[in-house]
Amino acid sequence: MEEEHTTAEQTREQAEEQMVNKAFEQLLQSYLESPHRKKIDKITKAFNFAKQAHKGVRRLSGEPYIMHPIAVAMIASKEIGLGSTSICSALLHDVVEDTDYTVEDIENIFGPKIAQIVDGLTKISGGIFGDQASAQAENIKKLLLTMSDDIRVIVIKICDRLHNMRTLASQPANKQYKIAGETQYIYAPLANRLGLNRVKNELEDLSFRYEHPEEYRSIKDQLAALQDEVDEQYKLFTEPIRRVLDNMGMQYELRARVKSPFSIWKKMQAKHLNFDQIYDILAVRIIFKPRKGEDEVNECFKIYAALDKLYTSHPDRFRNWLSHPKANGYQALHTTLMSKQGQYIEVQIRSERMDEIAEKGFAAHWKYKEGDNEPENVKITEEDDQLNSWLATIQDILSNPQPDAMDFLDIVKLNLFAKEIFVFSPKGEIITMPAGCSALDFAFQIHTFLGSHCIGAKVNHKLVPISHKLQSGDQVEILTSNSAHPVAEWMNFATTAKAKAKIQASLRRDERKMQKDGEEILKEFLSRNDLEMTTATLDKLCKMHEVERHETLLQNIGDRRILLGEKDLDELLQKKSSKGGWRKYVPFLNSEKKKDEDADKDIELMAVDKDFNRKKPLYISEENIHKLLFPTCCHTIPGDDALGFIDGRKHIIIHRRNCSVADKLKTSFGNRLLDVKWNMHKRMFFDATIQIRGIDRIGLLNDVTQVLSGQLNVNIHRISISSEEGIFDGQIEMRVHDRENVHDIMKKLNEIDGLKEILEVM
């Protein structure tokens, strides 16, 4: 029996050895097909080292761990086009973190450049952080710091994240939410900012798949059902285009681009649309090879002119990214044309070079050359000035770090997601700025001194305040005064990462001074009354003046917003109250059988202790829902995709998974997340709101209330409808059991004559 077991084990090991070697051979083949100088020995050495270091270790999926580094290296080589240094770094990226080898070992064996990249990819140990710190934010900060020296650090990290997302099914649900949320919040925008468009789309779709599985499946199924229709639409639309391009003598390729599930869902959420109302599912790409002696930009315009004669173009949907590429290097000409079937279709016109950059970003035109000490150096060309500018902005953020992890990630993300406009300096210099930026943002972009002393601006020779929003094509002159300095109100209209970082750094300096002044005032006040400044004293004063943090209390005392007096003394001299604990916080929860008479009474909330299993789902039922916290940022009701978050007091807060606060928590404190399932039995009622729009007519409101109250027996809390020029707009607030209840109501209302739009208000 033992001999049979040994034989089976040997057979399994041999099969795994063959699988690993086959994967590595495929990696080498991909590398050999690339234009890079062939350094097979170097890559093989890294593979053998990593294979030995990870020997005996398996992933949650059960496969040998070395398959993960090979897969990451394969993405770096085949899908992004990086060379031997990057491939070796990808193969070694988990060695320092997961084994006994050190960065010094890697440097001794593979050289300083690979060691630097591997160090940047190695997570900081979570043990050095306090309970309230965010290891996730610290690791992202470390990545960005190392990225400033070598951009390949973040590119390989994106490859690592892409493979982790492709294999996320083996993780428990709470880990899926953490990894998917972090991917959506940070890594997809990073991929976009580096021009890795295909990678960005896949990261977004995979995140969407795990965070909202039902919506993902629904959109995928609807896209599949439309496939034949889309294919026919593409064929009819492109046949005349092919004839035109053939007559022009162009060498070209036409591609259909179908909108991704995440992009469709995002548009549905942003514009309150149903799937049937999404009309830009299909787009067409024209990728051409410039004719000999012709400029590729001129060729793009010639193709556009030919198409404009063929189809009617939409005047407001023309985008020229040729003369001024996007900050991630993207170049193309976009136009939207009306098809013969009566539908608008976007057409993207690119050269082969532009298409390569659109898919592989800056990696498509990084240059490699022989160096004295490093055989493979990344050189950023003049074409990459935008990347250098972006890296400089990241360095500005890191030089003024946010003390709060979520604030830090917000500042970084502001810069990652920004769309660009082009504005001019007084001397006519073109400066790229994020859309929606203010004159103040522009001032900080030029120089920190200009921003810090900005009092106004002249935009197109007209005087405007510093809060003025800039438009593409504006000419901006900044006005300054030596007496001006950043104030808290500036944060309301500063949008760029650089401006916010500089303003907050200045405000923190002011706050530290105010806090110190407040501490002196409080000490003097307490000393006069024979009291000491203890934590209990500060807690009492915070509660009395309704502030959360000791630092805020001291700042308010320092700038005289809080004046200490007899009331404070009376509160401090009172005996400690025996009551304590959290208050029930379920503001939108209602029971049909019993009014919530105890809403203001202290209750015992569910607490997470050391025996609590965080890997198992938390089932919310009528018995425990009152022991959980439901914040007002997202009105979660049964049926919603939800998650739990363990706060600093070990209580559980329930958020919708797509809540903006939850997005930050997933990225900053992912280890505190819980998977949440609903186990409700339609015995409780919750607030829900729907919006209705349509054509006004006599009796419409009566029909709506008849369906709700008469047919569906819905408890209407409030209804408001206004009508103007034959179009009505209304909101209905009602009591429902769960989200399914809301969808049933919307489906029934959709049958009413005149109702054109029925939307959930989240």
Side-chain angles (χ1 to χ4, degrees):
M1 192 74 176
E2 186 176 336
E3 186 176 332
E4 289 180 5
H5 176 74
T6 303
T7 304
E9 182 69 18
Q10 289 174 343
T11 302
R12 183 181 62 81
E13 289 178 357
Q14 288 172 357
E16 288 182 349
E17 183 76 13
Q18 290 175 355
M19 176 178 69
V20 169
N21 290 335
K22 183 179 178 182
F24 180 62
E25 287 298 325
Q26 290 173 341
L27 170 62
L28 286 182
Q29 186 61 38
S30 168
Y31 175 65
L32 288 169
E33 292 170 358
S34 74
H36 297 290
R37 288 177 290 112
K38 307 304 178 261
K39 297 178 182 286
I40 299 296
D41 292 344
K42 182 180 177 183
I43 294 173
T44 303
K45 181 180 177 182
F47 164 68
N48 289 329
F49 185 88
K51 181 181 176 183
Q52 181 61 36
H54 294 299
K55 188 175 182 180
V57 182
R58 297 183 178 278
R59 302 191 83 206
L60 286 180
S61 60
E63 69 180 12
Y65 193 88
I66 188 62
M67 292 296 291
H68 169 64
I70 294 173
V72 174
M74 187 68 167
I75 294 169
S77 173
K78 187 173 183 178
E79 299 185 39
I80 298 183
L82 299 179
S84 60
T85 296
S86 301
I87 293 171
C88 291
S89 300
L91 288 168
L92 299 165
H93 79 273
D94 276 336
V95 167
V96 173
E97 184 178 331
D98 295 342
T99 75
D100 293 332
Y101 289 104
T102 65
V103 175
E104 288 73 21
D105 295 329
I106 301 296
E107 182 172 354
N108 291 333
I109 300 170
F110 297 98
K113 179 53 69 176
I114 289 177
Q116 180 192 20
I117 296 174
V118 170
D119 184 38
L121 292 164
T122 302
K123 293 178 184 175
I124 302 170
S125 170
I128 66 173
F129 298 102
D131 289 340
Q132 299 303 315
S134 169
Q136 286 172 276
E138 291 294 339
N139 285 318
I140 290 168
K141 190 183 294 184
K142 181 184 179 185
L143 267 177
L144 296 176
L145 279 166
T146 319
M147 182 184 78
S148 301
D149 296 323
D150 195 317
I151 195 73
R152 288 172 292 190
V153 171
I154 200 65
V155 178
I156 297 169
K157 182 61 182 177
I158 289 169
C159 297
D160 176 44
R161 180 50 59 105
L162 179 56
H163 184 250
N164 283 334
M165 289 300 298
R166 287 173 176 174
T167 56
L168 195 58
S170 59
Q171 293 281 356
N174 61 327
K175 285 290 184 67
Q176 289 177 352
Y177 303 150
K178 169 193 170 181
I179 295 169
E182 189 179 58
T183 300
Q184 191 70 263
Y185 198 78
I186 290 293
Y187 290 103
L190 273 170
N192 179 58
R193 196 58 181 72
L194 291 169
L196 304 171
N197 187 58
R198 189 184 301 155
V199 172
K200 186 257 315 185
N201 288 338
E202 187 175 354
L203 288 175
E204 288 178 338
D205 273 355
L206 288 169
S207 298
F208 176 42
R209 172 184 172 184
Y210 286 103
E211 290 209 272
H212 305 285
E214 290 185 13
E215 289 93 333
Y216 176 81
R217 281 193 296 270
S218 173
I219 292 175
K220 286 283 285 185
D221 290 345
Q222 291 178 88
L223 281 173
L226 278 178
Q227 188 61 54
D228 291 342
E229 182 182 329
V230 170
D231 290 344
E232 181 66 18
Q233 187 182 17
Y234 172 76
K235 180 182 176 183
L236 293 173
F237 181 72
T238 56
E239 278 180 354
I241 294 176
R242 290 181 189 277
R243 288 196 295 270
V244 167
L245 294 177
D246 289 341
N247 290 335
M248 291 174 66
M250 302 295 301
Q251 293 183 45
Y252 64 90
E253 179 187 355
L254 293 184
R255 293 181 195 159
R257 186 232 65 185
V258 177
K259 208 173 187 69
S260 68
F262 174 76
S263 295
I264 292 172
W265 179 77
K266 188 177 178 183
K267 190 167 187 176
M268 289 168 63
Q269 296 293 306
K271 298 191 174 183
H272 301 292
L273 301 173
N274 298 319
F275 181 88
D276 296 338
Q277 296 171 296
I278 305 293
Y279 297 115
D280 59 345
I281 287 175
L282 173 67
V284 173
R285 286 179 182 150
I286 301 174
I287 301 151
F288 67 92
K289 184 176 183 178
R291 291 173 291 189
K292 190 173 182 180
E294 292 284 348
D295 178 74
E296 61 181 2
V297 171
N298 291 337
E299 294 277 75
C300 285
F301 280 107
K302 287 178 182 177
I303 292 172
Y304 165 72
L307 297 185
D308 199 42
K309 293 177 183 177
L310 188 64
Y311 292 112
T312 302
S313 60
H314 193 298
D316 297 328
R317 295 187 188 175
F318 177 77
R319 297 290 181 269
N320 176 10
W321 298 110
L322 298 174
S323 307
H324 302 294
K326 289 185 179 182
N328 61 13
Y330 180 84
Q331 277 186 293
L333 201 61
H334 290 196
T335 183
T336 300
L337 306 174
M338 174 65 76
S339 72
K340 303 300 182 185
Q341 290 71 44
Q343 289 184 311
Y344 276 118
I345 297 176
E346 183 182 74
V347 177
Q348 302 168 358
I349 306 170
R350 312 171 178 169
S351 69
E352 290 177 340
R353 182 192 65 83
M354 295 173 190
D355 183 64
E356 187 181 13
I357 292 173
E359 296 304 321
K360 294 184 177 180
F362 286 98
H365 52 75
W366 282 336
K367 307 301 180 186
Y368 303 85
K369 71 175 186 179
E370 194 74 19
D372 294 332
N373 301 316
E374 171 55 36
E376 184 190 49
N377 290 321
V378 173
K379 298 296 181 184
I380 304 299
T381 66
E382 290 181 6
E383 200 170 9
D384 301 330
D385 282 344
Q386 291 286 357
L387 176 62
N388 287 328
S389 175
W390 180 60
L391 293 177
T393 303
I394 295 293
Q395 288 173 327
D396 282 334
I397 297 167
L398 296 170
S399 65
N400 293 285
Q402 302 299 309
D404 182 85
M406 289 168 69
D407 286 344
F408 165 73
L409 293 170
D410 262 350
I411 289 292
V412 173
K413 187 167 180 286
L414 269 171
N415 201 56
L416 300 181
F417 268 146
K419 294 182 179 179
E420 299 87 19
I421 62 171
F422 301 101
V423 295
F424 296 90
S425 71
K427 295 182 179 179
E429 180 187 358
I430 296 176
I431 297 170
T432 304
M433 295 291 295
C437 69
S438 64
L440 181 64
D441 293 314
F442 179 83
F444 274 107
Q445 184 69 21
I446 301 300
H447 198 280
T448 301
F449 179 87
L450 278 181
S452 299
H453 296 85
C454 182
I455 57 171
K458 285 185 178 180
V459 175
N460 303 325
H461 309 293
K462 293 181 181 179
L463 190 64
V464 298
I466 59 177
S467 59
H468 179 82
K469 298 293 183 186
L470 301 181
Q471 304 294 323
S472 206
D474 283 345
Q475 187 174 36
V476 186
E477 179 185 353
I478 298 300
L479 307 176
T480 62
S481 168
N482 287 334
S483 61
H485 68 279
V487 293
E489 288 74 19
W490 285 13
M491 292 298 294
N492 295 330
F493 41 82
T495 61
T496 63
K498 183 173 183 178
K500 281 184 173 288
K502 296 297 183 183
I503 294 167
Q504 287 183 330
S506 176
L507 293 178
R508 284 199 300 275
R509 287 193 294 270
D510 293 342
E511 287 171 358
R512 284 195 292 269
K513 184 180 181 304
M514 288 295 180
Q515 188 176 327
K516 189 174 181 181
D517 292 345
E519 189 174 345
E520 294 299 322
I521 293 170
L522 180 57
K523 281 182 179 178
E524 184 182 343
F525 173 79
L526 295 172
S527 179
R528 286 200 311 267
N529 295 284
D530 297 324
L531 294 169
E532 293 182 1
M533 193 169 76
T534 64
T535 301
T537 299
L538 291 171
D539 287 343
K540 279 190 175 184
L541 289 173
C542 283
K543 185 175 181 180
M544 181 179 177
H545 292 284
E546 298 181 342
V547 295
E548 294 184 0
R549 299 166 61 240
H550 295 171
E551 292 83 355
T552 307
L553 173 73
L554 295 174
Q555 287 166 19
N556 290 347
I557 294 173
D559 67 4
R560 304 301 193 273
R561 276 182 281 182
I562 291 178
L563 298 175
L564 300 171
E566 292 299 322
K567 287 185 178 180
D568 300 280
L569 189 60
D570 290 343
E571 176 68 23
L572 293 173
L573 292 174
Q574 284 178 5
K575 291 183 179 179
K576 187 177 180 182
S577 171
S578 60
K579 278 195 171 185
W582 283 72
R583 303 174 77 81
K584 181 173 13 175
Y585 190 29
V586 191
F588 53 93
L589 186 62
N590 293 276
S591 173
E592 190 176 42
K593 296 180 180 178
K594 180 179 180 293
K595 289 186 178 180
D596 193 6
E597 298 171 351
D598 299 325
D600 292 330
K601 293 182 180 180
D602 291 329
I603 63 168
E604 184 180 351
L605 292 169
M606 184 183 295
V608 175
D609 57 25
K610 59 182 176 58
D611 296 324
F612 190 93
N613 190 341
R614 302 188 184 200
K615 293 184 178 180
K616 288 187 176 180
L618 169 68
Y619 286 89
I620 303 178
S621 65
E622 287 86 353
E623 286 69 36
N624 65 12
I625 194 167
H626 292 285
K627 298 179 180 180
L628 305 170
L629 299 173
F630 291 77
T632 55
C633 56
C634 53
H635 292 305
T636 316
I637 68 173
D640 286 338
D641 288 337
L643 57 78
F645 174 71
I646 303 169
D647 69 8
R649 302 191 185 190
K650 305 297 183 184
H651 297 142
I652 299 173
I653 303 173
I654 306 299
H655 287 276
R656 288 172 62 97
R657 284 183 217 156
N658 60 340
C659 164
S660 59
V661 175
D663 285 341
K664 298 175 189 177
L665 293 174
K666 284 179 279 192
T667 307
S668 302
F669 302 103
N671 291 330
R672 299 192 199 173
L673 298 182
L674 299 175
D675 183 24
V676 165
K677 307 288 185 190
W678 297 97
N679 186 27
M680 305 292 287
H681 304 89
K682 297 185 182 293
R683 295 201 297 264
M684 304 184 79
F685 283 84
F686 302 80
D687 284 346
T689 303
I690 60 174
Q691 189 169 353
I692 55 175
R693 292 194 186 103
I695 309 301
D696 196 11
R697 60 175 173 80
I698 296 173
L700 177 67
L701 181 58
N702 181 62
D703 288 349
V704 170
T705 55
Q706 178 60 35
V707 167
L708 292 175
S709 300
Q711 297 182 30
L712 299 175
N713 196 30
V714 174
N715 180 4
I716 302 174
H717 180 59
R718 183 183 292 113
I719 185 168
S720 60
I721 291 184
S722 60
S723 178
E724 186 174 349
E725 297 182 357
I727 304 297
F728 76 86
D729 195 326
Q731 272 201 349
I732 304 169
E733 297 177 22
M734 53 199 174
R735 305 283 193 253
V736 297
H737 293 300
D738 49 34
R739 191 64 65 188
E740 183 184 11
N741 208 177
V742 177
H743 294 158
D744 290 343
I745 291 168
M746 293 172 67
K747 187 176 180 180
K748 198 68 179 175
L749 287 174
N750 204 39
E751 298 173 3
I752 296 177
D753 182 39
L755 283 186
K756 301 299 182 183
E757 292 183 14
I758 305 166
L759 311 168
E760 290 181 74
V761 179
M762 300 299 184

